[in-house]
Amino acid sequence: MPELPEVETIVRALRKPLVGRSFSKVTVLWPNSIKTCVKTLKSELPGKKIQSIERRGKYLRFNLSDNHTLFLHLKMSGDLLVASKNDASDPYARTIFSFKDGNELRFRDTRKFGSVHLVKNVNKVIGNLGPEPLDKSLTAQSFIELFQNRRGTLKPLLLDQTFIAGLGNIYVDESCFLSKIRPTKKVERIKPKELMTLYKAIQKVLTKAIKHNGSSFDSVYRGGNFQNHFAVYGRTNEPCIKCKSLIKRVILGGRSTHFCPNCQK
DNA sequence: CTAAAATCCTGGTGGC
DNA sequence: TGCCACCAGGATTTTA
């Protein structure tokens, strides 16, 4: 399930082969992936040039000529591969973006949750996203202020992309472990000092994960190996790396949640 | 406001 | 060995 570090890894890998290229054709193999008008996508994209590629939260953002922006979201099982049109076809390719030079960008997505958006106004896609956890503008002070007047359970709040953008199930659990805070804790009971610790933990976990090119599992593989560094995620009933207590698993907001009952308060 | 449940999907898993 | 019910899970929508 690609989260911020996986999307960042993919964006970095796509820049070299794609920036400067112009689209020639779009082949839509699973129309439900396209969240904007399919006809418009097919008629407008050909001829547009990729000027730059960025990440915003878990979205890939392609800044195109003529003030258009293409957004891709990988959701659970999406991946992006650059291939030649002569390469073997991919049964899980849902949208194929062809370029004039014979190469293509293949949006593959086994579970079909991913999305494609072609817009002029970027706010239609990313207008409600919360701050970037690794952006310099998110200071410790402004991070703590995000929690003002918020109530409820910590984990669902951190998963809320309008609260903070880019965190998913894995990195929330890992950040909570590193900050020694239980994901089940009520945010109104978390002290500013603990929030400071959480702020640093989120940055540390994400930075380390990016350094490892993200995590490789489910259907996404980018050579990342951060999955070998999980402290709690997927380690139910295994000993805590710090204290040997058995890692607990509970369901929170419908998602499996892992924590050390001894280290995390 | 918080939050739970349903929704979209399919490969993998566990039970028998 | 084979069949099948079941499940994860990001974000959105619906319902409380």
Side-chain angles (χ1 to χ4, degrees):
Chain A
M1 53 222 78
E3 303 177 28
L4 188 156
E6 289 76 32
V7 177
E8 180 65 30
T9 301
I10 291 173
V11 162
R12 290 180 184 184
L14 290 180
R15 283 193 180 117
K16 195 166 184 182
L18 295 188
V19 171
R21 297 247 166 107
S22 295
F23 293 104
S24 60
K25 191 175 78 170
V26 183
T27 308
V28 176
L29 300 164
W30 181 254
N32 287 355
S33 304
I34 317 297
K35 302 306 175 188
T36 49
C37 176
V38 175
K39 269 190 181 171
T40 305
L41 179 75
K42 293 176 77 113
S43 64
E44 289 294 314
L45 209 55
K48 300 255 188 305
K49 184 173 175 179
I50 300 176
Q51 296 179 323
S52 58
I53 310 175
E54 302 172 300
R55 179 192 56 73
R56 178 70 174 99
K58 299 175 198 170
Y59 284 94
L60 293 100
R61 171 178 175 166
F62 296 73
N63 297 307
L64 309 180
S65 54
D66 199 22
N67 285 317
H68 279 67
T69 306
L70 177 72
F71 286 101
L72 301 179
H73 197 301
L74 305 175
K75 292 285 181 81
M76 300 300 304
S77 60
D79 200 359
L80 291 165
L81 304 166
V82 178
S84 160
K85 64 179 180 184
N86 301 317
D87 289 347
S89 66
D90 182 339
Y92 298 113
R94 308 303 182 194
T95 304
I96 297 174
F97 301 91
S98 302
F99 298 97
K100 290 172 183 167
D101 61 6
N103 285 313
E104 53 192 38
L105 175 65
R106 296 173 175 180
F107 182 18
R108 79 187 308 273
D109 184 18
T110 44
R111 282 175 238 181
K112 298 179 173 176
F113 282 5
S115 61
V116 177
H117 318 245
L118 178 66
V119 293
K120 287 185 187 170
N121 178 5
V122 298
N123 285 331
K124 291 202 166 160
V125 181
I126 58 171
N128 292 323
L129 287 185
E132 282 290 322
L134 295 179
D135 197 291
K136 291 185 197 79
S137 64
L138 185 70
T139 61
Q141 183 60 36
S142 54
F143 178 79
I144 290 168
E145 281 170 6
L146 292 177
F147 289 84
Q148 294 286 333
N149 304 320
R150 302 300 295 246
R151 330 202 138 262
T153 314
L154 176 61
K155 176 160 177 175
L157 193 58
L158 294 176
L159 286 174
D160 180 350
Q161 302 298 298
T162 67
F163 181 76
I164 189 166
L167 294 177
N169 209 33
I170 295 170
Y171 296 104
V172 165
D173 282 6
E174 293 298 314
S175 299
C176 286
F177 174 78
L178 194 59
S179 62
K180 300 185 166 68
I181 303 171
R182 286 199 189 197
T184 53
K185 191 157 180 173
K186 298 295 175 193
V187 295
E188 58 269 31
R189 291 187 46 245
I190 304 177
K191 299 182 182 75
K193 195 176 173 184
E194 293 176 290
L195 290 177
M196 179 74 90
T197 312
L198 178 61
Y199 169 75
K200 288 178 181 162
I202 289 170
Q203 295 193 337
K204 195 169 176 182
V205 166
L206 293 177
T207 301
K208 186 176 173 189
I210 291 171
K211 205 163 281 179
H212 287 269
N213 294 320
S215 309
S216 294
F217 63 94
D218 213 345
S219 56
V220 176
Y221 180 74
R222 269 293 175 284
N225 67 336
F226 191 70
Q227 70 278 10
N228 299 324
H229 299 268
F230 291 164
V232 286
Y233 184 83
R235 298 194 63 247
T236 311
N237 290 327
E238 292 179 34
C240 170
I241 58 172
K242 289 262 197 275
C243 76
K244 310 291 186 216
S245 300
L246 298 188
I247 300 301
K248 279 196 76 166
R249 175 181 181 272
V250 298
I251 301 296
L252 219 48
R255 312 238 161 68
S256 59
T257 299
H258 315 75
F259 65 94
C260 172
N262 180 49
C263 291
Q264 292 170 263
K265 307 292 183 192

